[in-house]
């Protein structure tokens, strides 16, 4: 990735972005360890809500559960937004769900693809993961100070950018659509949708977003799934989301409705349209 091209991304995005809150200011780096780490530092130093860090490449991209995130230069989006919602810390994980819907909207709008969401927040196309989201909280005496909402989208990465063990699980928008996607157009669309949902969420709470999330998760709802949750693996039928974003599952052992707040979902017997499990496990 040449510096000129990368400057093009930052400059074009600045021109194309018409958000009110998100991207003011916008910090752009050719290479950084992790946009989440840098944005976390900025937030601790008092950065305002809406500040965004974007990097062309990450040397230490962070995934969920301590994993790394493949972050080659010149092709993808690595973005972290600083948010300071006035909500209890327990509501912060809902931002994962909100971000997944915004990414899915951008994928639909810009790429004319049909993405799906795997709870809580992986965005898949044709069963392969094209986006990962990592929301990290900063609290003070239990009160929420900031959320660093990190979003990684595989936009134009070639298959060779992924380690071989991910070839059947991870993909990019280029690979699934057959055409190169303009990173600045995609990012402007994503941030526009993210801001729209964020404002809606602040005003009306998660129930206002539930239908949008469930529409993208229709490949899983009503299906038999297994959720590897911290309290153990639960198997049953996915019913939908509760008012706070918890996954509701009718357990097949006890027939009870379980509320799951965290965990990894796999669809028993596979997804419709040949969709597969999480790329990195
Ligand atoms: C996942 O494991 O699915 C979450 C991946 C999150 C990756 C993004 S890329 C931008 C931001 N910076 C990071 O270091 N991680 C997130």
């Amino acid at each position: 990735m040449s510096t000129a091209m990368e400057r093009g991304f930052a400059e074009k995005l600045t021109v194309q972005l018409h958000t009110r809150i998100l991207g003011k200011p916008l910090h752009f780096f050719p290479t950084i360890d992790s946009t989440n780490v840098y944005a976390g530092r900025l937030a601790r130093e008092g950065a305002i809500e809406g500040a965004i860090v974007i990097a062309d490449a990450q040397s230490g991209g962070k995934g969920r559960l301590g994993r790394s995130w493949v972050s080659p230069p010149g092709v993808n989006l690595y973005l972290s937004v600083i948010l300071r919602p006035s909500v209890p810390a327990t509501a912060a994980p809902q931002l994962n769900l909100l971000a997944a819907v915004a990414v899915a909207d951008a994928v639909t709008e810009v790429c004319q693809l049909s993405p799906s969401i795997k709870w809580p927040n992986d965005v898949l196309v044709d069963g392969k993961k094209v986006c990962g989201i990592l929301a990290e909280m900063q609290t003070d005496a239990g009160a929420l100070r900031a959320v660093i909402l990190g979003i990684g989208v595989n936009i134009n990465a070639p298959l060779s950018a992924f380690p071989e063990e991910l070839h059947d699980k991870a993909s990019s928008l280029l690979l699934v659509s057959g055409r190169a996607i303009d990173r600045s157009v995609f990012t402007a669309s994503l941030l526009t949708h993210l801001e729209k949902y964020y404002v809606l969420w602040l005003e009306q709470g998660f129930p206002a977003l539930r239908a949008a999330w469930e529409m993208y998760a229709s490949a899983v709802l009503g299906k038999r799934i297994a959720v590897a949750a911290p309290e153990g693996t639960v198997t049953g039928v996915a019913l939908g989301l509760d008012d706070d974003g918890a996954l509701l599952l009718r357990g097949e052992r006890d027939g009870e409705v379980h509320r799951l707040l965290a965990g990894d979902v796999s669809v028993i017997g596979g997804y419709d349209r040949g969709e597969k499990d999480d790329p990195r496990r």
Side-chain angles (χ1 to χ4, degrees):
M1 171 71 206
S2 75
T3 310
M5 234 175 115
E6 171 207 311
R7 209 178 286 131
F9 175 27
E11 283 163 0
K12 278 165 62 191
L13 179 59
T14 308
V15 172
Q16 288 162 354
L17 198 57
H18 300 295
T19 43
R20 236 173 8 93
I21 311 165
L22 303 187
K24 295 175 191 304
L26 184 65
H27 302 275
F28 194 91
F29 293 89
T31 304
I32 205 167
D33 50 354
S34 153
T35 57
N36 262 37
V37 169
Y38 190 84
R41 211 174 300 145
L42 287 182
R44 275 189 296 276
E45 289 166 0
I48 59 164
E49 163 157 282
I52 285 184
V53 179
I54 295 181
D56 188 57
Q58 297 183 118
S59 54
K62 296 200 300 175
R64 287 170 59 216
L65 308 172
R67 296 177 179 127
S68 60
W69 184 255
V70 175
S71 307
V75 285
N76 292 336
L77 174 64
Y78 318 111
L79 170 153
S80 300
V81 193
I82 298 173
L83 297 173
R84 297 189 182 278
S86 297
V87 299
T90 49
Q94 294 168 19
L95 289 166
N96 283 300
L97 306 167
L98 187 158
V101 177
V103 171
D105 274 7
V107 169
T108 306
E109 182 178 277
V110 177
C111 316
Q112 287 85 49
L113 292 166
S114 300
S116 57
I117 297 177
K118 195 179 92 157
W119 186 82
N121 58 9
D122 288 345
V123 180
L124 291 76
V125 178
D126 294 341
K128 294 188 177 182
K129 180 161 162 174
V130 296
C131 166
I133 294 164
L134 179 67
E136 298 182 296
M137 269 197 282
Q138 290 182 2
T139 55
D140 186 6
L144 187 62
R145 286 284 183 200
V147 177
I148 311 305
L149 185 57
I151 302 176
V153 185
N154 301 328
I155 297 186
N156 291 318
L159 194 59
S160 59
F162 300 99
E164 198 149 335
E165 65 271 20
L166 297 186
H167 282 191
D168 63 334
K169 298 170 178 171
S171 195
S172 69
L173 298 174
L174 164 74
L175 292 168
V176 292
S177 69
R179 68 183 178 93
I181 306 297
D182 186 309
R183 285 194 294 173
S184 58
V185 171
F186 182 87
T187 308
S189 168
L190 165 59
L191 292 174
T192 304
H193 290 296
L194 190 64
E195 180 165 292
K196 170 188 73 185
Y197 288 123
Y198 182 58
V199 171
L200 187 67
W201 178 72
L202 288 176
E203 288 172 354
Q204 300 181 30
F206 183 73
L209 310 176
R210 180 170 33 205
W213 190 95
E214 288 185 349
M215 184 190 77
Y216 286 120
S218 57
V220 169
L221 299 183
K223 295 274 170 14
R224 264 185 91 211
I225 62 170
V227 185
E231 58 269 35
T233 297
V234 192
T235 303
V237 174
L239 301 175
L241 297 184
D242 209 346
D243 280 357
D244 61 353
L247 180 66
L248 298 174
L249 182 90
R250 183 165 305 280
E252 61 187 20
R253 285 233 174 112
D254 54 12
E256 301 281 318
V257 176
H258 295 247
R259 272 175 44 82
L260 299 166
L261 292 166
D264 286 320
V265 170
S266 42
V267 177
I268 298 166
Y271 286 77
D272 283 349
R273 295 178 287 132
E275 291 176 3
K276 297 179 188 72
D277 201 354
D278 186 288
R280 287 164 317 104
R281 64 190 59 98

